[in-house]
Amino acid sequence: MEDHQIISYFQRNKFESGMELLIDKYCVTVERFAFQIGVDTNEISDVVQETFIRTSKSLTNYQDQNVNLSTLLYKCTLNVVKKLKRKEKRKRKSEEIVNKQHHILTDYFESESHVVLHECIQHLEDTYKFALILYYFHQKPYEDIGQILQLSSASVENKIFQGKVRLTEESTFEKDNNPIDNWLKSLSEEYKSLPEKTSTQQILHTVKGVHEKKKKRWLTKIAIVLSLVVFVVVAIPMFDDFKDSPTNLTEQEKMEQYFERKKEEYKQNLGIESVDDFIQVERAYDLVIQFNNVTKQTEDIDDAEIQSYKDMIAMLLTTPKQLAEKQKKENKIFLNHPDFYTVQVNNRQTLEIYLSSLFRKHSIEKNHRQEIINNQESIDEINVSEDILKAINAIKDNGYTIEQLEDATSLSLRIDRSWAIQYIHDVEGSEPYLNMISIQEDIDSYYNGEHINLGDILLQIEEIYRTYPNERHNIFVQQELAITGQYVLIDYLFVRDKFYSYEIDTTNPLSKEHQKELLSFVQDHQDSIYWTIVNEVVQELKKNNWIPKEELAHREYRYIFIDPYQNLTEDSFLSFEKWPVVDTTHDIYHHYIEQNEQLTALSDASAKEVLSLFMYASVKPDEQLVNKLKTENSLDSESYDWYDIWRNSYYFIELKNEEDEAIYDFISFPSIYNEEEAFQISIELIKQDDIWLINRIYDRTKTKEAPS
């Protein structure tokens, strides 16, 4: 079945039928992809289910922005796996586990050479690995891979080539006149015989449960939106987007006109002759086609659904400059707009591909290309074609700069942080944003070789955090503080010279000068939110003769920007890779059933085991056990979807574990990429008659209550 036919089921609100068709068509592809990019065989089923959950949300909420379902699924799989790996970095793999995994792989492959090649691919950096896998094992063209990995086609081609070079350097596959391409193709054939780990019904059951709960939460919001739409249609029809259209036009023709108008505005704003081949334009027109298909199958399409299509088309055909200017006129910070990051990423990819195509069209050689890049700020002063001139002006006007990649054969667009200043500097409440942009520019200067003290940058980030408490929970400020602060902190501790890297020198001690710097920080900044972390790391470094350990750079430190977890130590953070959160939960539950469902069966269970059992029983569901595990104090506590809490949590924290009281928190972050709200769910347990029970459950983001 074609993708557009599957999508039509979602458009007609036939969620379960559409989901079953989607899973039937792509389940094996997702499983295979997860295995190929290195997901543990025991985790594949969870990854596949989570991928389809995320995909279902995209299809339900946004009517599928990309139409190409396989591209959407690959992207979702990569995001799920990245989150999984962030959690796994907190848990080192022993040599015994690694050897066990190698032994498991021998059961999947007939050839030992294929086992070795599969493992060698896992050792590649992610961009090389993903590009190779998508090209050789999924037969994706460069352009599709570029959309999935957000790279230009030229960059994809280079990543594939460099990935093969690294494989031949680190293995013995380029021998006996059998090139690496042949080995990869033969491995691709063997992947096709992998056993399936997850059934369609298993995934469908999980996704359906999540969808139903989500739908209930949105009923009130949908009612409000529909009321507003009715008001607009009835009260002020003269402001309808289709006011200039003849009244006898069909809804399909009106949507076509709307698309053409938005495309023309997009083209005019960019100042480019034609945008017909732009990815966004193609995606927007795909939405028009979807709309036409839906209206053919449905006699009565409501105004809210029409508006949703228009909103998606408008977002795709909006430039960063357009959005920034509009928000400035409304005295708003455009960086907080929910669509801004999507608009920024989409246009960067599109303009990067467009400029690369112009360079190929005009056969721009390496030296001339470098001259253009070096003079992009004064491009009018050098000899370039009119279309290249307009493209570079569009790139500058929308907040990007061109940079040459290390291979000297492809280019990339980088976000110009200072570009945002012109649109926010005189907007009320812009101070923390301007300060954050200034800090980001200093960080860029540091990595370009300027002498800047990262300790000073850390303290500047902390000053923003302390000076603007009302902005802490704002998505932009919190994400920039947390992400930038974490990476600068790691660089400060271990003197890395490459931002967003986990590579540190684990063979040589830190310099005497840097040892003195860290000791000075511990001595002079005991009131800093970083102090507990810096002091803990310094103590570990001293024990190891100041030689960094690799796992130290893999730790996550974003929690220091969440009130009020700053003083926690590494031991407070618990592993929760699998559902339920404790491995023994199923055994404990079956023991409880065998003991005639008496709570005395839980007398030996720890507080964490009872919490895991409570979450498991809530989802199963076993309402009788859920109520038994609550004290009278917690019987009226707010209900939560505990599977959803586990799935969206970034940290699982043990705040207290004493003889008769324990407290655990699940923490998530707000995201610029989705509408999920941040939470800090706290669960307090107490002992009654030697049994741990749930005494209180609440969300700290709502109560503003600090951990005791």
Side-chain angles (χ1 to χ4, degrees):
M1 178 172 283
E2 297 297 325
D3 284 358
H4 69 85
Q5 294 174 299
I6 296 175
I7 293 165
S8 70
Y9 280 87
F10 291 93
Q11 305 291 345
R12 289 178 285 153
N13 294 321
K14 295 186 176 181
F15 176 87
E16 188 170 346
S17 298
M19 208 63 226
E20 189 166 5
L21 291 169
L22 178 70
I23 295 167
D24 274 338
K25 182 174 180 180
Y26 288 110
C27 179
V28 173
T29 299
V30 174
E31 275 196 354
R32 209 171 280 167
F33 185 52
F35 178 82
Q36 289 159 349
I37 62 178
V39 176
D40 187 286
T41 53
N42 293 323
E43 304 284 357
I44 287 177
S45 183
D46 290 341
V47 167
V48 172
Q49 291 186 60
E50 178 65 14
T51 296
F52 280 99
I53 287 171
R54 293 194 179 197
T55 305
S56 71
K57 288 181 179 180
S58 178
L59 290 170
T60 304
N61 294 338
Y62 304 109
Q63 309 289 325
D64 182 32
Q65 301 171 23
N66 197 353
V67 176
N68 188 329
L69 292 177
S70 67
T71 297
L72 178 61
L73 283 160
Y74 287 123
K75 285 182 177 180
C76 287
T77 306
L78 290 175
N79 288 333
V80 171
V81 172
K82 284 175 184 176
K83 180 178 179 181
L84 178 67
K85 288 189 174 181
R86 282 199 300 267
K87 293 180 180 180
E88 287 178 346
K89 281 173 184 172
R90 308 183 60 83
K91 190 175 181 181
R92 294 187 69 192
K93 290 186 177 180
S94 67
E95 185 175 347
E96 180 182 349
I97 293 174
V98 173
N99 290 336
K100 183 180 179 181
Q101 290 174 343
H102 177 85
H103 178 71
I104 291 172
L105 288 174
T106 59
D107 295 334
Y108 285 86
F109 296 104
E110 294 182 5
S111 166
E112 176 68 16
S113 296
H114 285 151
V115 175
V116 175
L117 180 54
H118 174 84
E119 291 177 328
C120 286
I121 292 172
Q122 305 315 310
H123 295 151
L124 293 174
E125 292 180 32
D126 282 351
T127 51
Y128 299 115
K129 176 169 67 175
F130 298 156
L132 271 175
I133 289 170
L134 288 167
Y135 182 74
Y136 280 96
F137 307 148
H138 294 260
Q139 291 74 50
K140 287 291 177 184
Y142 293 158
E143 185 177 348
D144 287 0
I145 298 173
Q147 289 183 33
I148 295 166
L149 303 182
Q150 295 185 348
L151 297 171
S152 67
S153 295
S155 295
V156 170
E157 184 176 9
N158 180 259
K159 296 295 182 187
I160 292 169
F161 174 79
Q162 293 294 334
K164 290 193 294 182
V165 170
R166 283 162 170 74
L167 280 179
T168 55
E169 288 175 347
E170 298 179 10
S171 64
T172 59
F173 290 101
E174 196 82 18
K175 66 178 184 178
D176 298 331
N177 297 318
N178 193 9
I180 189 67
D181 290 74
N182 291 345
W183 280 107
L184 290 167
K185 289 173 183 175
S186 65
L187 178 59
S188 178
E189 290 301 312
E190 190 150 359
Y191 277 137
K192 294 176 181 178
S193 62
L194 291 174
E196 295 182 24
K197 305 280 290 184
T198 317
S199 70
T200 297
Q201 290 306 315
Q202 179 184 353
I203 302 171
L204 187 61
H205 175 75
T206 303
V207 176
K208 185 180 175 183
V210 172
H211 174 71
E212 290 300 321
K213 291 184 176 72
K214 186 85 172 179
K215 187 165 64 175
K216 290 176 183 177
R217 291 200 298 268
W218 277 91
L219 283 176
T220 304
K221 295 181 180 180
I222 291 172
I224 294 171
V225 171
L226 287 173
S227 299
L228 289 172
V229 171
V230 169
F231 171 79
V232 171
V233 172
V234 174
I236 45 175
M238 69 287 294
F239 293 114
D240 188 85
D241 281 301
F242 299 129
K243 65 180 182 293
D244 297 327
S245 303
T247 55
N248 61 343
L249 290 181
T250 65
E251 294 296 346
Q252 295 98 318
E253 290 169 330
K254 291 178 183 178
M255 191 64 74
E256 291 268 5
Q257 284 194 356
Y258 182 77
F259 163 77
E260 291 296 338
R261 187 163 70 251
K262 287 298 178 183
K263 185 179 78 169
E264 182 63 24
E265 290 174 6
Y266 182 62
K267 184 184 77 171
Q268 293 296 330
N269 194 271
L270 287 174
I272 290 173
E273 291 296 330
S274 174
V275 295
D276 290 343
D277 295 331
F278 279 25
I279 293 175
Q280 273 107 298
V281 175
E282 293 175 355
R283 291 176 181 171
Y285 191 66
D286 284 338
L287 287 169
V288 175
I289 295 173
Q290 285 183 42
F291 178 80
N292 290 345
N293 290 335
V294 171
T295 52
K296 288 175 184 176
Q297 297 163 357
T298 306
E299 292 183 3
D300 186 21
I301 183 167
D302 60 37
D303 294 328
E305 191 166 2
I306 293 172
Q307 186 62 46
S308 70
Y309 275 94
K310 289 164 54 185
D311 290 343
M312 288 186 287
I313 290 171
M315 184 183 69
L316 286 167
L317 300 181
T318 295
T319 66
K321 181 182 177 182
Q322 280 178 291
L323 186 56
E325 288 177 339
K326 181 180 178 182
Q327 290 286 287
K328 183 180 180 181
K329 287 178 181 177
E330 298 173 4
N331 197 36
K332 295 178 181 178
I333 306 290
F334 75 89
L335 296 168
N336 286 330
H337 193 283
D339 292 339
F340 173 67
Y341 282 87
T342 302
V343 169
Q344 186 182 57
V345 170
N346 284 345
N347 280 276
R348 179 173 64 177
Q349 179 187 11
T350 292
L351 290 170
E352 185 178 288
I353 293 171
Y354 178 60
L355 184 60
S356 296
S357 70
L358 292 180
F359 280 3
R360 290 194 297 272
K361 171 185 172 183
H362 294 287
S363 301
I364 303 295
E365 295 184 355
K366 177 182 174 182
N367 290 340
H368 190 197
R369 177 184 301 187
Q370 193 61 55
E371 180 188 13
I372 292 172
I373 294 173
N374 292 342
N375 293 277
Q376 57 187 291
E377 293 301 321
S378 53
I379 194 65
D380 296 334
E381 299 176 7
I382 64 172
N383 183 27
V384 294
S385 64
E386 186 70 17
D387 52 0
I388 290 179
L389 176 65
K390 289 181 177 180
I392 292 177
N393 284 331
I395 287 167
K396 291 191 297 181
D397 289 346
N398 286 281
Y400 311 106
T401 58
I402 313 164
E403 60 182 13
Q404 187 85 11
L405 297 182
E406 293 179 2
D407 56 32
T409 62
S410 54
L411 57 85
S412 175
L413 297 190
R414 181 173 58 84
I415 294 170
D416 178 7
R417 301 185 191 281
S418 63
W419 171 83
I421 295 173
Q422 61 187 309
Y423 297 106
I424 66 171
H425 70 92
D426 56 355
V427 177
E428 184 180 354
S430 63
E431 292 83 2
Y433 303 89
L434 295 171
N435 292 341
M436 200 67 227
I437 290 170
S438 176
I439 287 172
Q440 290 166 334
E441 289 178 327
D442 286 343
I443 293 170
D444 290 341
S445 298
Y446 171 82
Y447 290 104
N448 286 327
E450 291 188 30
H451 182 71
I452 295 175
N453 188 300
L454 289 182
D456 292 340
I457 291 181
L458 281 175
L459 295 175
Q460 290 174 33
I461 293 173
E462 182 175 356
E463 185 178 355
I464 294 176
Y465 175 81
R466 294 186 185 279
T467 306
Y468 305 99
N470 293 332
E471 296 292 332
R472 290 178 188 171
H473 299 292
N474 174 281
I475 291 178
F476 173 81
V477 172
Q478 187 175 83
Q479 288 226 148
E480 291 299 321
L481 285 172
I483 295 174
T484 305
Q486 161 160 319
Y487 283 99
V488 172
L489 177 59
I490 294 174
D491 293 350
Y492 176 64
L493 291 170
F494 307 116
V495 203
R496 297 181 307 181
D497 58 1
K498 186 179 179 182
F499 199 48
Y500 284 92
S501 167
Y502 284 104
E503 297 175 4
I504 61 174
D505 184 353
T506 57
T507 57
N508 300 304
L510 298 177
S511 68
K512 295 291 184 182
E513 180 182 1
H514 195 62
Q515 293 177 31
K516 184 178 179 181
E517 168 73 26
L518 294 179
L519 290 170
S520 176
F521 190 100
V522 172
Q523 178 67 31
D524 299 339
H525 300 289
Q526 295 187 25
D527 60 344
S528 169
I529 59 175
Y530 307 109
W531 186 86
T532 300
I533 292 171
V534 176
N535 181 58
E536 190 177 58
V537 170
V538 165
Q539 301 312 316
E540 293 191 42
L541 287 169
K542 288 166 72 174
K543 291 177 185 177
N544 200 41
N545 297 319
W546 290 95
I547 299 174
K549 296 179 181 178
E550 187 174 352
E551 66 266 22
L552 294 177
H554 290 169
R555 291 181 181 175
E556 293 281 355
Y557 299 121
R558 291 175 63 177
Y559 64 86
I560 61 176
F561 293 101
I562 310 179
D563 283 334
Y565 298 98
Q566 287 89 351
N567 296 321
L568 297 176
T569 61
E570 180 71 12
D571 294 339
S572 301
F573 296 87
L574 306 178
S575 173
F576 62 116
E577 289 92 355
K578 294 182 179 181
W579 171 263
V581 295
V582 176
D583 290 339
T584 56
T585 302
H586 294 99
D587 294 335
I588 294 172
Y589 181 74
H590 289 306
H591 178 62
Y592 160 76
I593 298 297
E594 290 169 358
Q595 296 299 313
N596 299 316
E597 302 183 11
Q598 297 297 312
L599 282 185
T600 51
L602 308 180
S603 58
D604 293 331
S606 67
K608 187 170 71 168
E609 287 174 328
V610 169
L611 170 59
S612 183
L613 180 64
F614 172 77
M615 295 168 67
Y616 173 76
S618 299
V619 174
K620 187 172 176 61
D622 185 336
E623 291 295 334
Q624 187 178 26
L625 176 56
V626 168
N627 291 325
K628 282 183 180 180
L629 291 176
K630 290 181 177 180
T631 65
E632 280 191 30
N633 187 51
S634 66
L635 286 175
D636 296 328
S637 295
E638 183 177 350
S639 297
Y640 292 99
D641 182 336
W642 289 104
Y643 183 82
D644 211 37
I645 296 296
W646 166 80
R647 189 167 50 85
N648 290 310
S649 292
Y650 204 90
Y651 293 116
F652 176 35
I653 299 175
E654 183 178 75
L655 291 172
K656 181 184 286 189
N657 190 357
E658 298 178 352
E659 185 176 349
D660 56 1
E661 184 182 13
I663 300 175
Y664 298 90
D665 279 19
F666 287 93
I667 303 176
S668 76
F669 286 94
S671 174
I672 55 179
Y673 300 111
N674 60 54
E675 298 175 354
E676 296 289 345
E677 295 182 359
F679 57 75
Q680 298 170 27
I681 306 297
S682 186
I683 308 99
E684 175 190 294
L685 297 94
I686 61 172
K687 253 192 177 181
Q688 287 187 356
D689 300 325
D690 289 330
I691 308 293
W692 285 102
L693 298 175
I694 308 296
N695 188 52
R696 190 178 176 212
I697 305 170
Y698 59 100
D699 188 344
R700 296 187 194 278
T701 59
K702 297 176 181 177
T703 64
K704 307 300 180 186
E705 183 174 337
S708 58

